[in-house]
Amino acid sequence: MKLDKFDREILRVMQQDATVSMADLSQRVGLSHTPCWRRVKRMEADGIIKRKVTILDGKKLNLGVSVFIFVTLKNHDGESLNDFERAVQGIDEIVECHTTSGDRDYLLKVIVESIEEYEHLLKSKLTHLPLVDHLSSTFALKQVKNTTELPIKNQ
């Protein structure tokens, strides 16, 4: 789908504040209410706007430990990969899962309260994921940047 300057500006504004009213959004992007509303609805229908969420402060919720885990699987056939990916969906502490290139198969991001909670998660769930051969964990010491905003270019 081709996006024009108004579509791109709508997306930039909505990434910063998904609760922006349609009246405010249309004013900020320089469109009247109805055309702005139509554009938002079209981008939702086309799957460009997937959903609107509330971003929480993990530290204030006592979820301040981020762990990045490289996973290597024993098998790499389609069924094995699908089994692993389905199992990952059922673990709430895994907030991201990416397939990767190179020697490792996946990169997981886990959010927990403490190192002790991570150890329990590791022993009770992560090591029991289907076909796991090796897990390598790295703890984040400090979060330098965290954004959900995609870099939408003007073009």
Side-chain angles (χ1 to χ4, degrees):
M1 178 182 161
K2 187 97 169 143
L3 300 177
D4 67 15
K5 70 177 187 171
F6 293 109
D7 295 326
R8 292 176 188 288
E9 189 59 25
I10 288 168
L11 294 173
R12 276 192 283 277
V13 170
M14 289 184 72
Q15 281 191 116
Q16 293 171 359
D17 181 6
T19 65
V20 65
S21 70
M22 194 55 63
D24 191 30
L25 178 62
S26 60
Q27 182 181 15
R28 288 172 65 179
V29 301
L31 289 171
S32 61
H33 185 277
T34 301
C36 187
W37 178 83
R38 283 188 186 128
R39 286 170 181 265
V40 169
K41 291 300 172 193
R42 184 190 78 233
M43 288 188 285
E44 288 174 345
D46 290 343
I48 293 169
I49 299 173
K50 292 173 68 171
R51 65 182 188 264
K52 300 171 189 168
V53 299
T54 300
I55 298 174
L56 306 176
D57 185 331
K59 286 186 180 182
K60 291 184 179 178
L61 294 167
N62 199 28
L63 292 168
V65 177
S66 297
V67 187
F68 297 92
I69 307 157
F70 282 107
V71 179
T72 306
L73 299 182
K74 295 174 186 172
N75 297 330
H76 297 92
D77 61 89
E79 186 176 336
S80 298
L81 299 175
N82 289 335
D83 289 347
F84 177 82
E85 291 173 13
R86 267 192 300 279
V88 163
Q89 299 298 327
I91 301 175
D92 293 339
E93 294 87 351
I94 299 174
V95 296
E96 293 181 33
C97 175
H98 303 269
T99 57
T100 59
S101 62
D103 296 340
R104 296 158 176 166
D105 300 311
Y106 291 92
L107 174 64
L108 307 179
K109 180 179 180 184
V110 168
I111 304 289
V112 290
E113 290 183 10
S114 65
I115 293 172
E116 293 79 15
E117 183 182 351
Y118 175 67
E119 180 184 18
H120 175 70
L121 178 70
L122 179 67
K123 290 177 179 177
S124 66
K125 295 181 182 177
L126 299 179
T127 57
H128 300 291
L129 285 167
L131 300 163
V132 168
D133 184 42
H134 182 75
L135 298 169
S136 176
S137 304
T138 300
F139 291 85
L141 299 178
K142 178 173 100 173
Q143 187 175 73
V144 176
K145 181 177 180 180
N146 182 19
T147 183
T148 61
E149 294 180 35
L150 298 177
I152 299 171
K153 306 232 185 285
N154 287 331
Q155 290 186 342

